Amino acid sequence: MKIQQAVKKENSLWEFVGSNEDLQNPLVLVFGNRFLLENENIYEEIRSIYPNGEIVFGSTSGEILGDNVMDNTLCLTAIEFQKSSFVVKKANIKTYNGNVELLGTELLKKLPEENLRHIFVVSEGSTINGSTLIMGLEKFLSKKVTISGGLCGDDSRFEKTIASYNNNPKEGEIIVIGLYGESLEVSCANYGGWTAFGPERIVTKSENNVLFELDEKPALDLYKQYLGDKVKDLPEAALLYPLSVKVKDQEETIVRTILNINEKENSMTLAGDIPEGSIVQLMMSTVDDIVEGAYTAAEYAMRDRKAKPELALLVSCVGRKLVMDQRSEEEVEEVIEVIGNQAKVSGFYSYGEMAPFAGQNKCRLHNQTMTLTLISE
């Protein structure tokens, strides 16, 4: 595996980190600030650098490159697989009239089945229900194939997210990258580091990822009581106080971040499903707890690996970044300490993370976690 990395700031040239030798038919991942990705020349600019590359774009709430966490940049990672191969497919939610599950099912059909080992997802993050997207992708998926990835971000603005494959980034795009090869080793893990507090409440009215009532009372009103004077900063303030969700008949607790609020309906839209009958609690965290959570996620991802990872794709939540602020790089440094300096690190801060729980194959949508996808040939 040969890997090149580069970073570009506004009104600056690309700065390559390490080697910039020619790569053959590379997978090119470009994660970056939404405004910079809206430049009408961005695709042709990357195409001029990698004329034979397969180029995937995704907007972020912060970029990860090496041991650095950056804002308002474009970060590029180009990968030439030497023993493995990849296939990239895309779809737009507008084509499916908002039917996310059908989109996921149809997108999976586009990926050849033979020797498929893993699927990495870069998805629209503003309107997509990540849980439903995973449901569609896994509907006819072999249990041997794992899924990871994330929902694109837009800093803490929540205005719109954009992504694309071999085209200028736009709204509504979902991209899947199928990784193939008998020698390919991919491991995934996630962990949060958040602590529940306050009373447990029952979800008494919800629809998919929209929460209407807790304990038969308007959910938004209850949530505002806890926020106090931070109510004026919604929905950004909600990133600091996500919800712990215990779903009936499921052992693991999932975390849900609030993406938007609807004052008229007194409801909250979350990044993934929140079924009726679930038990929820508010959560909070500290910088040290979040950093320790990243270390734990890395330990889980390295467990039982046969080879050292050559590439690490990190997807962390924008809520973690808001809590850590100037100390965001500490969670990336903790990951590198565990996985080793031999791995090239790339990634982004997201509106939702996709990965299985440790030791499992079934993918889940997470919030407020550090999620790792470790790859070697």
Side-chain angles (χ1 to χ4, degrees):
M1 189 182 295
K2 296 181 180 179
I3 300 173
Q4 289 179 356
Q5 294 187 299
V7 62
K8 177 183 172 70
K9 299 177 182 178
E10 189 173 11
N11 300 321
S12 300
L13 298 175
W14 285 97
E15 296 180 18
F16 279 85
V17 182
S19 169
N20 63 345
E21 62 181 310
D22 290 339
L23 300 182
Q24 299 299 314
N25 305 314
L27 170 63
V28 184
L29 304 176
V30 184
F31 301 133
N33 174 269
R34 189 250 296 179
F35 294 123
L36 296 183
L37 288 179
E38 287 180 324
N39 184 322
E40 61 182 11
N41 299 316
I42 186 62
Y43 170 65
E44 290 303 327
E45 182 179 321
I46 305 299
R47 175 60 67 202
S48 68
I49 303 173
Y50 298 101
N52 298 312
E54 302 293 329
I55 305 167
V56 175
F57 294 94
S59 64
T60 78
S61 295
E63 302 80 58
I64 300 171
L65 195 76
D67 59 0
N68 297 305
V69 173
M70 291 170 278
D71 293 299
N72 304 317
T73 67
L74 297 178
C75 289
L76 178 156
T77 298
I79 309 115
E80 178 188 325
F81 292 93
Q82 297 173 291
K83 300 177 183 177
S84 314
S85 60
F86 66 92
V87 175
V88 185
K89 297 296 179 182
K90 67 177 179 180
N92 195 291
I93 189 58
K94 296 176 184 177
T95 308
Y96 289 83
N97 296 316
N99 191 331
V100 182
E101 183 176 353
L102 179 60
L103 181 151
T105 303
E106 294 294 316
L107 205 45
L108 176 67
K109 291 178 181 178
K110 296 180 181 180
L111 290 176
E113 292 183 30
E114 187 175 358
N115 280 332
L116 178 61
R117 292 288 186 267
H118 185 80
I119 299 172
F120 190 81
V121 181
V122 178
S123 171
E124 150 78 36
S126 300
T127 60
I128 288 291
N129 180 338
S131 299
T132 308
L133 174 60
I134 292 169
M135 189 185 306
L137 288 169
E138 289 192 331
K139 196 168 188 178
F140 302 108
L141 185 67
S142 166
K143 292 182 179 180
K144 296 180 181 179
V145 180
T146 50
I147 296 176
S148 65
L151 306 180
C152 292
D154 181 29
D155 293 321
S156 56
R157 288 183 292 267
F158 294 98
E159 294 173 354
K160 67 176 180 178
T161 62
I162 55 177
S164 68
Y165 163 52
N166 282 350
N167 215 320
N168 279 334
K170 56 185 174 182
E171 291 184 81
E173 291 284 283
I174 293 91
I175 299 100
V176 293
I177 304 167
L179 300 178
Y180 297 80
E182 293 184 4
S183 64
L184 190 70
E185 184 178 8
V186 182
S187 60
C188 309
N190 72 89
Y191 199 82
W194 294 68
T195 304
F197 72 95
E200 291 185 338
R201 299 186 183 276
I202 299 175
V203 177
T204 48
K205 184 179 180 182
S206 65
E207 184 175 337
N208 298 321
N209 63 329
V210 181
L211 175 60
F212 294 97
E213 291 181 3
L214 293 171
D215 293 340
E216 299 183 347
K217 297 177 181 177
L220 184 56
D221 285 349
L222 284 172
Y223 195 79
K224 285 180 176 180
Q225 289 178 18
Y226 284 96
L227 288 184
D229 59 5
K230 294 181 180 178
V231 165
K232 65 182 185 301
D233 298 322
L234 281 170
E236 178 180 344
L239 294 169
L240 302 176
Y241 300 99
L243 295 177
S244 163
V245 182
K246 298 177 183 176
V247 181
K248 186 178 179 180
D249 299 327
Q250 292 183 6
E251 293 183 9
E252 299 86 359
T253 298
I254 55 177
V255 182
R256 288 287 175 259
T257 290
I258 297 159
L259 295 182
N260 220 326
I261 61 173
N262 187 319
E263 297 280 2
K264 186 177 180 181
E265 295 183 350
N266 228 336
S267 66
M268 303 184 290
T269 300
L270 293 89
D273 286 347
I274 184 163
E276 290 184 359
S278 301
I279 298 174
V280 305
Q281 268 184 296
L282 284 170
M283 302 188 82
M284 64 187 302
S285 193
T286 66
V287 173
D288 290 340
D289 288 340
I290 287 176
V291 170
E292 185 176 339
Y295 187 93
T296 301
E299 286 189 316
Y300 285 163
M302 288 295 290
R303 185 185 295 171
D304 301 325
R305 278 194 66 90
K306 297 176 183 177
K308 291 183 178 181
E310 298 172 72
L311 174 65
L313 299 177
L314 311 186
V315 182
S316 188
C317 184
V318 58
R320 298 167 67 86
K321 187 166 178 283
L322 289 177
V323 172
M324 291 185 290
D325 196 18
Q326 298 299 318
R327 294 176 61 186
S328 295
E329 289 179 349
E330 290 184 26
E331 72 164 347
V332 179
E333 291 168 354
E334 289 295 299
V335 167
I336 293 173
E337 182 178 334
V338 176
I339 67 174
N341 290 315
Q342 80 289 334
K344 297 292 186 182
V345 176
S346 174
F348 63 96
Y349 283 86
S350 75
Y351 285 172
E353 307 85 60
M354 299 178 182
F357 281 107
Q360 300 183 16
N361 271 25
K362 183 176 175 58
C363 185
R364 303 290 293 276
L365 179 81
H366 309 275
N367 292 124
Q368 306 294 359
T369 67
M370 164 61 81
T371 294
L372 296 88
T373 304
L374 306 181
I375 305 170
S376 62
E377 293 188 283

